[in-house]
Amino acid sequence: MNHTAPGALRRRLITAGSLTAAAALALTGCAAGADAGDSGDAEEIGVSLIVKTTTNPFFVAMQDGAEAAADELGVNLTLAAGKEDGDEDTQIQAIENAISKGDAGILITPNGPGVEDALVKARDAGLFVIALDTPPADPEAVDITFATDNFAAGQEIGRWTAAKLAGETATIALIDLFDDKIVSVDYNRDQGFLDGMGIDTADAAVNGDEAKSGTYSGGDYEIVGNEASGGAEDGGRTAAETLLSKNPDINVVYTINEPAAYGAYEAFKAAGQDDVIVVSVDGGCAGVDQVAEGIIGATSQQYPVKMAELGVQAIFDLVKTGEAPETTEGLDFFDTGVALVTDDPQEGVESIDTTQGGEICWG
């Protein structure tokens, strides 16, 4: 059950989609009203942060943000990670370890629905459980989620793409995260992109069930196919090669994240395809640089450091006061905001440029 957010945390909340809020994400440190000096109890607050993998700069930045927040609040932070994106077994073991050592809470970016029974077990054992970045399929698995509105992030790059095409026929390749499990971040970004393009998504919780041809908001489209990348550069390259083998005339490439986007770019470059619109989600410093270089046309910037800071603060406040943060109005999670980063702004699509994005990027 959600209670009124404590004042120290409430002051740190940001408005989803607001560029002013995006700029505010350059904030450093945690809320002043709940620092380590106020926590003079003998009881130590232990928190485990369990990320998907440490091969993606997004999750490394999240770890850095959590460590900084934990240091300021006097929280004992344990770091753990899956061996790769999708590794549920290692995450389950880390959850079991957190229960065994009596942690007060767990922060987790779930690698899939297989971890959710273990999260419910942790809550039953009295731990506070907060998801970061990826809301679980079972809302009872966590107390709250701090995340990007991934559907909105997809919509932003979809709207930009439709405007950029200016009525040209869109031959679309969709490079997703998984093809062997269902994760909300995966279908929300993919389906949000299509929705932003003006394409009927059929079931918005299913990738690949939309009509393979029809009209988008500016003209005709054809979807060549969906391929999984695992969120990795080599996976993005392989996915793009597979899609190119089906149709060499692809001119729009949606990607789940920036490592996959760069891999896809390499595949298209090797095939001699230079005039391709590549869009993505992340907004890490490397990705912003790739936008500046013209490798990625536009990316939706999200804020992993903010997610981690808010997560550590929330567990601290839950332990100290019993109060929990509230979800964003109209959503079942707390939205940490998104901003479209591009150096090719399109009419009617709000964006920031790479100079602005570089000032608030991560990694």
Side-chain angles (χ1 to χ4, degrees):
M1 181 172 61
N2 292 319
H3 303 277
T4 301
L9 183 59
R10 187 164 52 244
R11 286 192 296 272
R12 297 172 55 82
L13 307 189
I14 61 175
T15 302
S18 163
L19 298 183
T20 300
L25 289 167
L27 288 171
T28 58
C30 290
D35 59 36
D38 297 330
S39 61
D41 318 303
E43 182 181 358
E44 186 174 56
I45 298 174
V47 174
S48 286
L49 171 63
I50 308 167
V51 297
K52 292 184 179 182
T53 173
T54 54
T55 60
N56 187 327
F58 181 90
F59 301 113
V60 175
M62 187 175 282
Q63 289 182 326
D64 292 343
E67 286 183 310
D71 286 346
E72 185 164 339
L73 293 170
V75 167
N76 182 18
L77 184 69
T78 300
L79 300 178
K83 296 173 184 175
E84 60 186 0
D85 211 326
D87 174 12
E88 296 170 314
D89 291 341
T90 303
Q91 287 198 324
I92 290 168
Q93 184 58 59
I95 294 166
E96 296 284 356
N97 292 343
I99 297 170
S100 295
K101 63 190 179 71
D103 277 349
I106 291 170
L107 304 172
I108 186 167
T109 59
N111 258 332
V115 306
E116 293 178 18
D117 285 346
L119 293 176
V120 171
K121 180 180 177 182
R123 292 191 73 191
D124 288 345
L127 281 72
F128 299 111
V129 179
I130 293 175
L132 306 177
D133 177 58
T134 305
D138 177 8
E140 295 301 314
V142 298
D143 290 279
I144 193 171
T145 298
F146 292 106
T148 305
D149 185 335
N150 284 296
F151 192 82
Q155 285 178 314
E156 290 296 310
I157 53 175
R159 292 188 187 109
W160 180 89
T161 301
K164 172 71 174 172
L165 284 164
E168 181 182 354
T169 297
T171 305
I172 304 169
L174 298 164
I175 298 181
D176 296 318
L177 186 57
F178 298 127
D179 57 10
D180 60 347
K181 64 184 69 179
I182 298 172
V183 180
S184 62
V185 66
D186 197 3
Y187 62 74
N188 276 327
R189 292 182 187 178
D190 175 299
Q191 300 289 279
F193 166 76
L194 293 174
D195 184 79
M197 284 278 294
I199 296 171
D200 186 356
T201 60
D203 186 339
V206 176
N207 286 345
D209 68 339
E210 58 279 335
K212 299 303 181 240
S213 62
T215 58
Y216 72 96
S217 59
D220 296 330
Y221 79 86
E222 175 189 356
I223 294 176
V224 176
N226 298 65
E227 291 291 330
S229 66
E233 182 179 324
D234 57 348
R237 185 185 306 110
T238 300
E241 289 169 348
T242 299
L243 291 159
L244 273 168
S245 71
K246 296 178 179 179
N247 189 330
D249 297 325
I250 292 166
N251 63 352
V252 173
V253 184
Y254 154 83
T255 58
I256 180 69
N257 63 10
E258 289 160 0
Y262 188 73
Y265 163 79
E266 290 182 316
F268 278 85
K269 183 179 178 181
Q273 300 281 82
D274 297 323
D275 191 21
V276 179
I277 298 169
V278 179
V279 292
S280 198
V281 178
D282 261 350
C285 294
V288 172
D289 287 344
Q290 289 162 14
V291 173
E293 294 167 18
I295 292 169
I296 298 173
T299 192
S300 286
Q301 187 173 62
Q302 51 180 347
Y303 305 103
V305 173
K306 194 72 175 181
M307 295 175 198
E309 289 177 346
L310 289 170
V312 173
Q313 180 76 60
I315 290 179
F316 181 89
D317 290 336
L318 281 161
V319 171
K320 294 298 181 182
T321 69
E323 292 182 300
E326 293 182 332
T327 58
T328 299
E329 185 176 355
L331 299 173
D332 59 2
F333 61 94
F334 183 93
D335 182 6
T336 51
V338 66
L340 183 74
V341 181
T342 183
D343 285 336
D344 186 9
Q346 299 297 313
E347 186 176 353
V349 183
E350 190 174 11
S351 65
I352 59 176
D353 62 25
T354 54
T355 299
Q356 294 167 295
E359 291 172 353
I360 52 176
C361 67
W362 42 267

